[in-house]
Amino acid sequence: MRKVGLQKSLLAAAVFAGTAALAGCNSNAATTATTEGQRMQIDGMNVTTAWDKTFAQSDKVEHQKVVFHNRYGIKLVGDLYLPKDRDPNAKLAAIAVSGPFGAVKEQSSGLYAQHLAENGFITIAFDPSFTGESGGVARYVASPDISTEDFSAAVDYLLNRTDVDPEAVGILGICGWGGFAINAAAYDTRIKATVASTMYDISRNVANGYFDADNNEQSRFERKSAMNQQRTLDYNAPEPKLAGGVVDPLPADAPQFVKDYYDYYKTERGYHPRSLNSNNGWTVASALSFMNAPILAYSDEIRSAVMVVHGDKAHSFYMGKDAFAKLKGDNKEFVAVPGANHTDLYDQMDKIPFDKIIAFFHQNLK
């Protein structure tokens, strides 16, 4: 495939457009809500009460819809998972989960959160700002700061629950939110343990292209110019232009990892109607804020425990390895999953090393 064709396919994979041109709940107290059909109004957010996940509901876990806010005043909608066999008087370790980049909580992050709750943790899988059931206008945009902030907002929520041990809160990010999770751990000292699964460094990907193939000034200039031209057009448009989600139909000569994305986001396996990657993607100009804002600038100063998990057949493996190499201290761990590609760690229970992840959180959230 010619480079131009490859780049277009990579863009269509909806990792980001930049490579080309939901009731406030601060405690255990029930939140006032009104229910209509299979939807509920909580703190002004219209959320679904239907089980519309891409995975089966566990009979070992209680599930609740919750709403919390970040420091920008954006309301975020989450799925709270509670172990049914928990001691009602105990304070438990808690974990906030988000990702992949362009996904919603009904997909991979909810699967992780539910399974962690089956193993004794209070967990919350949430939609980031501007996506899914969460608030924020405009829609389908992301920024290095707000995307990282959303993890800290989830920590705010968990620390204000009476059933959470305030000294035992961790986070888990998948794909692009793996990078944001590490970034959050670099400044949020309340986070005691972080897991980044099949992670992306979105800033690096946007600025340099895949495999750093476009890491030069001219290439960045051309991509910034194209996005800024789109900003001008978006200003008076009813809605900003979207970059498109995972490419559909799938070209026969698409790179394998694009095929892997299609297999997850565009099939029964992982499709969700609110998912950006399953549908029309991020706004074209959304990537601009990542062009000169490296998210992992101070990751070498993280003192809390960090685990990086990556499939050794993933196209993104180099990002996980490089992110881990920058970490310091003897409480950091890298787990390479033999034979696993990038999206295998989204939902393949036989490949996600949950035994290691659970042991890591038990060891560091106590």
Side-chain angles (χ1 to χ4, degrees), residues 20-342:
L22 258 156
C25 192
N26 292 323
S27 69
N28 298 25
T31 303
T32 301
T34 59
T35 304
E36 183 178 347
Q38 288 190 302
R39 302 203 68 81
M40 177 182 289
Q41 288 286 332
I42 311 178
D43 194 24
M45 302 300 286
N46 186 25
V47 303
T48 182
T49 57
W51 183 268
D52 60 347
K53 324 298 185 196
T54 61
F55 52 91
Q57 186 168 14
S58 171
D59 59 5
K60 300 176 182 178
V61 174
E62 293 178 16
H63 165 259
Q64 302 173 13
K65 301 296 289 242
V66 298
V67 174
F68 56 100
H69 64 273
N70 66 20
R71 62 188 173 92
Y72 297 104
I74 299 171
K75 295 178 181 178
L76 305 178
V77 178
D79 286 306
L80 184 72
Y81 297 91
L82 302 162
K84 282 187 177 179
D85 61 356
R86 69 192 184 280
D87 179 347
N89 298 311
K91 291 182 179 291
L92 301 182
I95 304 166
V97 188
S98 196
F101 197 69
V104 288
K105 64 188 182 303
E106 290 76 17
Q107 296 172 306
S108 180
S109 62
L111 175 69
Y112 273 74
Q114 178 174 260
H115 191 66
L116 290 170
E118 288 178 328
N119 286 272
F121 301 96
I122 292 174
T123 63
I124 184 170
F126 64 90
D127 286 330
S129 297
F130 313 112
T131 65
E133 291 187 302
S134 288
V137 177
R139 303 300 292 171
Y140 315 133
V141 296
S143 81
D145 183 23
I146 296 177
S147 297
T148 303
E149 156 64 20
D150 287 347
F151 262 123
S152 287
V155 172
D156 293 339
Y157 166 78
L158 292 171
L159 287 174
N160 278 279
R161 289 186 61 88
T162 61
D163 53 1
V164 168
D165 180 346
E167 295 302 318
V169 173
I171 60 175
L172 187 152
I174 306 159
C175 185
W177 256 264
F180 299 136
I182 294 176
N183 198 40
Y187 76 75
D188 195 332
T189 56
R190 304 169 303 171
I191 297 169
K192 305 306 180 183
T194 300
V195 171
S197 180
T198 194
M199 70 152 284
Y200 258 71
D201 179 342
I202 297 296
S203 292
R204 177 179 180 178
N205 181 234
V206 168
N208 300 348
Y210 280 96
F211 316 113
D212 299 322
D214 294 311
N215 184 16
N216 62 81
E217 180 182 346
Q218 183 59 30
S219 176
R220 276 188 286 273
F221 178 80
E222 290 171 1
R223 285 177 283 135
K224 286 186 287 188
S225 295
M227 285 186 281
N228 280 304
Q229 289 174 17
Q230 187 59 51
R231 283 190 63 157
T232 303
L233 297 173
D234 287 346
Y235 186 80
N236 285 316
E239 299 289 343
K241 183 177 180 180
L242 300 181
V246 171
V247 61
D248 188 16
L250 186 67
D253 59 349
Q256 182 58 48
F257 76 89
V258 175
K259 295 178 181 178
D260 295 337
Y261 280 129
Y262 182 95
D263 187 59
Y264 181 76
Y265 285 110
K266 289 293 189 177
T267 70
E268 250 182 66
R269 171 185 165 192
Y271 176 84
H272 196 278
R274 289 192 293 273
S275 166
L276 283 71
N277 287 354
S278 288
N279 296 283
N280 294 319
W282 302 91
T283 65
V284 170
S286 191
L288 271 170
S289 59
F290 289 90
M291 292 295 284
N292 59 351
I295 60 171
L296 303 183
Y298 294 100
S299 60
D300 58 333
E301 297 184 3
I302 298 174
R303 299 185 182 184
S304 58
V306 179
M307 171 182 279
V308 178
V309 181
H310 229 113
D312 66 2
K313 300 303 181 185
H315 67 285
S316 52
F317 191 51
Y318 71 101
M319 296 191 208
K321 287 196 301 180
D322 289 356
F324 180 77
K326 190 175 177 181
L327 302 174
K328 297 178 181 178
D330 58 6
N331 57 352
K332 311 298 188 289
E333 184 176 353
F334 187 84
V335 177
V337 183
N341 65 35
H342 184 82

